[in-house]
Amino acid sequence: MKKRLLIAIILLISVLLSSGCAPVLMLFMGMSTPHAISEQKLDHKKKKYKLNEFPHCNVTEDGFWNCMLSIGDINSVQVFKDGKLIVPKADNKTCSAVVEKFIDFIQDSTTYEIVDSVKLADYFNPKYIADYENVMFSDSTRYAILVYWASYAGFLNRQNTKKEYASSISRMLESGFDAEVRYVNCDVKDGWSFKKLTKKMLEEKIPNIQK
């Protein structure tokens, strides 16, 4: 019965995609465009998706656009070693970022490479993180992990953020691997000016734009 239901869901999604019914698909998966969300609704979303394994922090207005412009995929993970980004080495046979390799990727230094030009401070600082002083990483932290999520990502919060990323990281920590983890919420907060935010984005993409 479960198998038939899964097949039916997959077929429905395929039909919606092929027919160009993006708004219906977004509704079906609980996804939406970024919009302002109150702290009360944000807490409700945390409980809904059971995002309770790690401490939470919130992006500022500048942090929101930094995420949108430089990260792109809100439901993603960044891993830093000694303050520098590490990424899986390219694999010609499969995707280098598959979640199944996540634990091995961090624990086995032969499977990753260090990106010297990208630092933890580029993403995790007082300008980009609203509650930075309360969620700072320890000075002795060697591995810092940022798990990004946003309520407007809907189903992906349960599938990627919770089921895959957070579960993999939790198993890694339970095995004794020493790392600190933070959930980074990328929702738009009440009181933000979208006119101001859009201007910031344009200035980033087109530096010489008239102010």
Side-chain angles (χ1 to χ4, degrees):
M1 181 66 181
K2 290 183 178 180
K3 185 175 181 180
R4 290 182 179 178
L5 179 60
L6 179 59
I7 294 174
I9 292 174
I10 293 174
L11 288 174
L12 176 59
I13 292 175
S14 299
V15 170
L16 290 173
L17 284 173
S18 62
S19 62
C21 298
V24 178
L25 180 60
M26 291 177 70
L27 178 63
F28 179 77
M29 299 185 71
M31 301 169 67
S32 63
T33 54
H35 58 281
I37 184 172
S38 66
E39 289 297 326
Q40 184 178 5
K41 289 183 178 179
L42 190 58
D43 286 336
H44 171 73
K45 294 293 184 178
K46 291 178 187 176
K47 294 176 182 178
K48 176 180 179 179
Y49 297 116
K50 298 181 180 179
L51 303 178
N52 53 13
E53 297 95 331
F54 319 119
H56 282 264
C57 54
N58 301 284
V59 295
T60 60
E61 293 183 47
D62 288 323
F64 173 83
W65 282 117
N66 183 57
C67 289
M68 296 292 282
L69 293 171
S70 60
I71 298 175
D73 182 7
I74 292 303
N75 291 100
S76 62
V77 175
Q78 285 183 314
V79 184
F80 297 86
K81 178 181 180 181
D82 297 327
K84 298 178 181 179
L85 182 69
I86 61 175
V87 296
K89 288 183 178 178
D91 187 334
N92 294 328
K93 297 180 179 179
T94 183
C95 173
S96 61
V98 290
V99 177
E100 287 76 8
K101 291 186 176 181
F102 189 78
I103 296 176
D104 292 337
F105 146 58
I106 299 177
Q107 294 181 309
D108 183 357
S109 60
T110 65
T111 64
Y112 65 75
E113 54 190 9
I114 298 174
V115 183
D116 291 318
S117 60
V118 182
K119 298 178 173 56
L120 175 63
D122 295 336
Y123 295 89
F124 204 82
N125 58 59
K127 181 181 179 181
Y128 292 153
I129 302 297
D131 30 13
Y132 176 78
E133 297 297 330
N134 298 324
V135 293
M136 293 172 56
F137 289 95
S138 305
D139 292 336
S140 59
T141 300
R142 187 161 198 201
Y143 290 89
I145 303 175
L146 304 179
V147 185
Y148 294 90
W149 77 281
S151 66
Y152 57 79
F155 167 80
L156 296 179
N157 288 308
R158 181 176 288 117
Q159 178 62 30
N160 293 354
T161 310
K162 172 68 179 180
K163 183 178 178 181
E164 296 182 343
Y165 299 141
S167 295
S168 295
I169 296 171
S170 293
R171 290 197 303 273
M172 179 187 69
L173 296 177
E174 289 171 1
S175 72
F177 190 78
D178 188 17
E180 284 192 58
V181 191
R182 301 287 185 273
Y183 275 125
V184 182
N185 177 256
C186 299
D187 275 298
V188 176
K189 305 302 187 294
D190 285 335
W192 288 9
S193 169
F194 260 101
K195 183 177 180 180
K196 178 182 177 182
L197 292 174
T198 304
K199 182 180 179 182
K200 281 181 176 292
M201 183 182 71
L202 290 175
E203 289 173 353
E204 288 283 346
K205 285 188 171 294
I206 312 174
N208 296 324
I209 189 172
Q210 291 185 350
K211 299 181 181 181

